[in-house]
Amino acid sequence: MAQAQHAVREMASMLEARGVEVKYAIHPVAGRMPGHMNVLLAEADVPYEQLREMDDINGEFSRTDVALVIGANDVTNPAAHTNPGSPIYGMPILNVDQARSIIVLKRSMNSGFAGIENELFYDPKTTMLFGDAKSSVNTVTEELKAL
C-alpha cells in the first residue's frame, strides 16, 4: 500500500503543477486500524495541510470535479444515507457520490466488511478501474501525462 501512496503523491504533484487543488480525505475507520491510512500518507510525504477530516471534507464534495477513491468500499457507500433497510444506514461516510465525477480504483466489485454491494459503483458518474492500487494510479498518471 505504501508504494501506491507514493504513486498517488506523484500524481497529485503533477496535478498541482497544472493548477489543480488536491485534497486528501480518509474515513476515520479506513485501513487495518485507526490512523493506519494517515501513517501511510505521512510516509508518502503528503502535506498534512492537504489532509481533511471526514466532517470537514464532506461539504466540499458537491463542489468537487473529480473524486478519486482508492480501495474504499463501505465508507463511500451512499446506501448509508439513502437506504433505511441497509445494515450501514446511518453510518457516517465520505460523500464522494456528490462529486461531479468519481473514479474508483479497486481490485474487484467485491463487497466490503458489511457484505453489501456499494451503490456508488453503479452510479452513472462513477468509472471503475480494476487492478492493484499502485498499477491503477500509475495508469491514471500516464493518462494525465498524455493530456
Side-chain angles (χ1 to χ4, degrees), residues 55-117:
D55 292 338
D56 296 331
I57 197 77
N58 271 344
E60 296 187 36
F61 283 116
S62 63
R63 299 182 304 273
T64 300
D65 291 321
V66 179
L68 180 65
V69 177
I70 303 177
N73 207 326
D74 297 331
V75 298
T76 62
N77 192 338
H81 294 295
T82 62
N83 184 352
S86 172
I88 64 168
Y89 186 73
M91 179 181 96
I93 63 167
L94 291 166
N95 296 335
V96 297
D97 60 308
Q98 295 175 4
R100 288 180 190 91
S101 180
I102 305 108
I103 302 171
V104 177
L105 311 181
K106 277 190 52 87
R107 291 185 185 275
S108 71
M109 296 285 283
N110 287 347
S111 63
F113 184 77
I116 59 173
E117 288 187 331

Side-chain angles (χ1 to χ4, degrees), residues 2-96:
Q3 291 178 338
Q5 299 297 15
H6 286 286
V8 167
R9 185 64 195 127
E10 177 186 357
M11 179 177 54
S13 293
M14 189 172 55
L15 289 168
E16 290 165 340
R18 294 177 180 205
V20 175
E21 183 178 11
V22 176
K23 297 178 185 174
Y24 298 83
I26 299 174
H27 193 280
V29 299
R32 303 204 185 278
M33 66 184 104
H36 178 232
M37 300 308 293
N38 297 68
V39 170
L40 291 177
L41 287 175
E43 289 174 352
D45 296 323
V46 169
Y48 185 77
E49 55 275 1
Q50 287 180 320
L51 183 58
R52 300 291 189 272
E53 297 293 329
M54 180 180 62
D55 292 338
D56 296 331
I57 197 77
N58 271 344
E60 296 187 36
F61 283 116
S62 63
R63 299 182 304 273
T64 300
D65 291 321
V66 179
L68 180 65
V69 177
I70 303 177
N73 207 326
D74 297 331
V75 298
T76 62
N77 192 338
H81 294 295
T82 62
N83 184 352
S86 172
I88 64 168
Y89 186 73
M91 179 181 96
I93 63 167
L94 291 166
N95 296 335
V96 297

